[in-house]
C-alpha cells in the first residue's frame, strides 16, 4: 500500500494572525469551561491541550465524544481563522468525527490544520491524541468545512 505524504504548502496570512487567533479563542467560553489551552499557533496550524475532566465524561468514565468533537471543531476552526483576512471570521458548515479509541488519558492534544484555504470555504482537519506517560495515542479525527464570513454583524476574527 502506498504511503500518503502530505505536501507542506505555504499559507497566506494577514496581519498579526497569532494575536487574532488568541484574542478570538479567549472569547470562547466553551474552551474555558473545558480547560483548553493554546499550545501553538502557526499559519494554518494550531495545537491545543486539555486536561482530563471528570465533569465531561460519559457513563463509563471516558471523555464524552461531544467534548472531544467540540475541541476538534475549535482546533480546525482556529487553524482556518489563522489564514483568513483580518475582517473575516469562520463558521463550521460541515464536520465528521471518527472516534478510534476511548478517550481516557491524563491530557489530550488537539492538532488542527488547514488542508485548503479557499475564498469562501476552508477545508480543515484535526486530530485528538491522548497523552499518557509521554506517549501520544490518536483517539479521534475530524474533517470539517469552514465558511468564510465577512461583513456579517457579530461574526469577526
Amino acid at each position: 500500500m502506498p504511503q500518503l505524504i502530505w505536501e507542506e504548502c505555504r499559507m497566506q496570512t494577514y496581519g498579526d494572525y497569532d494575536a487574532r487567533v488568541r484574542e478570538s479563542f479567549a472569547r470562547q467560553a466553551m474552551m474555558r469551561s473545558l480547560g483548553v489551552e493554546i499550545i501553538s499557533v502557526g499559519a494554518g496550524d494550531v495545537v491545543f491541550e486539555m486536561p482530563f475532566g471528570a465533569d465531561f465524561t460519559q457513563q463509563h468514565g471516558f471523555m464524552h465524544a461531544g467534548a472531544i468533537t467540540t475541541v476538534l471543531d475549535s482546533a480546525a476552526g482556529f487553524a482556518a481563522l489563522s489564514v483568513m483576512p483580518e475582517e473575516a471570521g469562520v463558521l463550521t458548515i460541515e464536520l465528521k468525527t471518527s472516534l478510534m479509541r476511548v478517550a481516557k488519558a491524563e491530557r489530550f492534544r488537539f492538532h488542527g490544520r488547514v488542508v485548503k484555504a479557499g475564498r469562501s470555504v476552508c477545508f480543515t482537519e484535526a486530530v485528538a491524541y491522548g497523552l499518557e506517560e509521554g506517549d501520544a495515542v490518536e483517539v479521534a479525527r475530524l474533517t470539517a468545512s469552514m465558511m468564510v464570513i465577512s461583513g456579517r454583524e457579530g461574526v469577526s476574527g
Side-chain angles (χ1 to χ4, degrees):
M1 180 185 300
Q3 181 180 1
L4 183 62
I5 298 173
W6 291 103
E7 281 187 39
E8 290 297 320
C9 58
R10 195 177 182 116
M11 298 278 169
Q12 180 173 351
T13 59
Y14 303 86
D16 188 353
Y17 66 89
D18 183 286
R20 202 165 62 251
V21 165
R22 290 174 189 278
E23 288 166 12
S24 184
F25 180 88
R27 295 191 309 263
Q28 202 175 86
M30 177 70 95
M31 294 298 103
R32 268 193 313 279
S33 295
L34 290 167
V36 179
E37 303 171 329
I38 294 177
I39 301 303
S40 66
V41 176
D45 190 272
V46 300
V47 177
F48 297 162
E49 283 194 9
M50 173 182 79
F52 179 86
D55 288 344
F56 305 107
T57 59
Q58 41 85 297
Q59 69 274 24
H60 305 295
F62 308 125
M63 288 295 286
H64 195 285
I68 296 295
T69 299
T70 296
V71 184
L72 284 167
D73 177 40
S74 286
F78 282 109
L81 183 64
S82 74
V83 296
M84 292 297 112
E86 293 179 73
E87 73 283 354
V90 296
L91 292 174
T92 305
I93 56 175
E94 170 273 334
L95 62 80
K96 177 193 183 296
T97 303
S98 297
L99 305 164
M100 298 170 189
R101 290 181 178 77
V102 296
K104 186 151 188 172
E106 295 172 12
R107 292 188 66 73
F108 298 91
R109 178 171 293 142
F110 301 84
H111 185 186
R113 75 179 196 98
V114 171
V115 176
K116 181 186 183 297
R119 284 189 298 237
S120 58
V121 177
C122 187
F123 298 94
T124 61
E125 63 182 14
V127 180
Y129 301 93
L131 305 177
E132 195 84 47
E133 298 176 12
D135 291 330
V137 176
E138 185 172 341
V139 297
R141 183 173 289 261
L142 170 136
T143 57
S145 302
M146 305 288 166
M147 178 180 277
V148 181
I149 307 289
S150 292
R152 182 172 174 181
E153 188 175 332
V155 179
S156 65

